[in-house]
Amino acid sequence: MSDKKNVLLIGAGGVGTIVAYGIDYVGKSNLSIVVRRDYVKVKDAGYDISSVDYGNIKGWKPANIYPNVDAAAASGEVYDFIVIATKNLPDIVKMEELVKPVVVPGKTTLVLMQNGFDLGRPFFVHYPKNVILSGVSHIGSHNSGGVICQTQKDKAVVSYFENPNLSKEQQETKAHEFISLYSNDKNDCVYFDDAKWYRYRKLVYNASLNTVCALTGVDTGRLAFSGGLDTVSIPAMREVVKIAEADGVKLPSDVINSVVHSDDGDWFEPSMRVDVKKGNPVELEVILGNLLKVAGELGVETPILTVVYNLLKVVQFRLKEEQGLITLPKERPITDRVFK
């Protein structure tokens, strides 16, 4: 009987495919993947991968490839780990509901290899006895029709979203077990013992620079030269730090300076800016929406972040309408609401 773990990865895009290949490279898992957009091509010919970590690979595919979660469930396989590497858009798809057919309560460990903050909360509601791991990926990789181009090394930080129903030891054990399935001599996958701290640290950038660049249509360099860095983004960073402090998280005293200088020398377009430029919905709710919910619960005022969020909701509305996710009536309805 094989002692390999059954792993299902959902979301084999640019990042997800490199994660999947890394897991397959280690060889300690029976790997299955869910591929939606490029299913027919990948099922027939596999992925062509150009990777700074692994070199050039022609026609790679794992043992099992499914077009959707229901098909993965219908296979009868019981999964030890489910890695979710999709874009995180809960205002369009609620992943905690989508994965239900393949989750065994109390057994399956879910790995959220996604952007965002406070991601564990909806999963704990649905799966109160399951370990939910946090995977923060630092990687440059994109997918174009089943051709993967990885330009920056795969660096991943794994921890766990604290589940009060489970022991710390149980959750730590699962985190290290997943790392053993994924970490290899080509990538850099490490354990970090505080998911909340790490994701707050990442939010100092994402909630202030990623969002404002998406809203204004400029890169981080032009945001600085225009004055928007000083008038909008840095005040937004201060609000993130205040929320973190109220939530019991002490970020480094130089965190704002470090974040501002992280793109030095580069006219860098953050991911949300790129999404808007491509006409794709942005990860608004998990980056700003969840943060503002926590701020409200803690009584922290967030005037800058709130305005940025509400303006981006309008942008998100437009993006979803353009993709046919929202349908409006031909004639605009008339309201009797009185505005003051």
Side-chain angles (χ1 to χ4, degrees):
M1 183 177 178
S2 173
D3 59 356
K4 288 186 174 183
K5 298 296 181 180
N6 293 325
V7 177
L8 175 67
L9 183 137
I10 302 169
V15 173
T17 301
I18 296 300
V19 174
Y21 186 84
I23 292 171
D24 200 42
Y25 179 89
V26 172
K28 296 180 181 178
S29 308
N30 297 312
L31 177 65
S32 303
I33 63 174
V34 171
V35 182
R36 182 177 57 86
R37 186 179 305 168
D38 303 311
Y39 172 73
V40 174
K41 180 184 183 300
V42 173
K43 183 72 174 175
D44 291 341
Y47 285 102
D48 291 338
I49 301 172
S50 173
S51 166
V52 295
D53 289 332
Y54 302 101
N56 295 319
I57 303 103
K58 186 79 172 175
W60 172 79
K61 52 183 175 180
N64 303 303
I65 304 172
Y66 302 108
N68 51 54
V69 171
D70 287 338
S75 71
E77 195 71 79
V78 177
Y79 300 102
D80 300 291
F81 290 87
I82 296 174
V83 183
I84 302 175
T86 60
K87 197 171 175 183
N88 206 342
L89 301 167
D91 49 330
I92 298 174
V93 177
K94 295 189 182 302
M95 288 304 300
E96 65 273 15
E97 297 174 2
L98 186 71
V99 300
K100 188 175 181 180
V102 288
V103 176
V104 178
K107 172 180 172 57
T108 309
T109 297
L110 292 123
V111 186
L112 309 186
M113 193 75 70
Q114 297 176 296
N115 279 333
F117 174 73
D118 203 24
L119 304 186
R121 189 184 300 207
F123 284 86
F124 291 146
V125 172
H126 286 75
Y127 315 110
K129 297 296 185 181
N130 291 66
V131 175
I132 314 295
L133 298 183
S134 165
V136 177
S137 179
H138 301 271
I139 185 175
S141 181
H142 65 268
N143 173 26
S144 179
V147 177
I148 306 297
C149 182
Q150 181 200 355
T151 58
Q152 295 177 337
K153 290 187 67 64
D154 181 10
K155 299 179 181 179
V157 178
V158 175
S159 45
Y160 62 88
F161 294 106
E162 190 170 350
N163 186 340
N165 300 309
L166 303 175
S167 70
K168 177 181 178 180
E169 291 73 23
Q170 182 179 357
Q171 295 173 89
E172 282 185 342
T173 297
K174 286 298 181 182
H176 286 291
E177 187 176 345
F178 175 70
I179 290 170
S180 74
L181 303 178
Y182 177 31
S183 178
N184 58 56
D185 61 329
K186 304 292 186 182
N187 63 20
D188 183 11
C189 180
V190 298
Y191 177 72
F192 189 82
D193 64 0
D194 192 340
K196 183 189 286 188
W197 185 97
Y198 202 86
R199 286 186 179 264
Y200 264 121
R201 171 63 178 79
K202 196 169 183 182
L203 271 179
V204 177
Y205 184 101
N206 278 337
S208 62
L209 290 173
N210 208 344
T211 55
V212 175
C213 288
L215 191 58
T216 58
V218 299
D219 56 55
T220 54
R222 287 173 174 82
L223 185 68
F225 273 89
S226 69
L229 172 67
D230 291 296
T231 59
V232 182
S233 290
I234 289 178
M237 292 179 196
R238 295 188 186 117
E239 291 181 1
V240 176
V241 172
K242 280 172 54 182
I243 300 166
E245 288 178 352
D247 203 12
V249 173
K250 182 66 174 175
L251 294 173
S253 59
D254 66 343
V255 65
I256 291 176
N257 187 60
S258 296
V259 165
V260 170
H261 285 292
S262 64
D263 291 335
D264 278 359
D266 192 0
W267 302 102
F268 183 71
E269 290 189 310
S271 60
M272 291 176 79
R273 162 62 189 143
V274 174
D275 282 333
V276 172
K277 191 159 71 169
K278 290 181 176 179
N280 295 327
V282 296
E283 295 178 309
L284 174 61
E285 294 304 325
V286 294
I287 289 176
L288 265 186
N290 288 355
L291 178 64
L292 292 176
K293 286 177 187 174
V294 171
E297 292 167 358
L298 297 171
V300 179
E301 294 186 358
T302 54
I304 301 295
L305 291 172
T306 299
V307 170
V308 172
Y309 171 72
N310 284 315
L311 289 173
L312 271 176
K313 280 190 75 173
V314 180
V315 174
Q316 184 82 323
F317 185 94
R318 170 177 63 82
L319 294 168
K320 290 197 286 189
E321 184 184 6
E322 289 172 353
Q323 291 208 350
L325 299 170
I326 294 174
T327 302
L328 296 177
K330 187 174 182 180
E331 294 186 5
R332 178 181 171 181
I334 297 173
T335 177
D336 58 0
R337 179 182 169 191
V338 177
F339 298 91
K340 295 182 180 180

